[in-house]
Amino acid sequence: MAKKVMKCLLYLLLFLSGFFIVTFTVYFLNLDMKLTAAIEPLLQKHYDRIRRDQHL
């Protein structure tokens, strides 16, 4: 029973360490904003096609 708990804790520690490394890399290299900049032209095309009611 104790071995199962230790094994689960080890897997949890490895998962959390990997998650931290991935999120830190995204933060450090500013990858989220680079992805947003790459997607922006596609989003602009989509939103420019939407008909708008511009009556005030």
Side-chain angles (χ1 to χ4, degrees), residues 24-54:
F24 183 77
T25 303
V26 168
Y27 170 76
F28 189 74
L29 298 176
N30 201 19
L31 297 177
D32 54 339
M33 293 309 295
K34 290 178 183 177
L35 177 64
T36 305
I39 295 175
E40 185 181 12
L42 298 173
L43 293 175
Q44 282 180 343
K45 265 197 230 178
H46 170 70
Y47 284 109
D48 286 345
R49 289 185 196 156
I50 295 176
R51 295 182 57 91
R52 290 177 180 81
D53 182 18
Q54 297 183 355

Side-chain angles (χ1 to χ4, degrees), residues 6-20:
M6 291 301 287
K7 194 171 185 179
C8 286
L9 287 176
L10 177 64
Y11 285 139
L12 181 64
L13 179 66
L14 289 174
F15 172 77
L16 291 176
S17 298
F19 183 73
F20 174 76

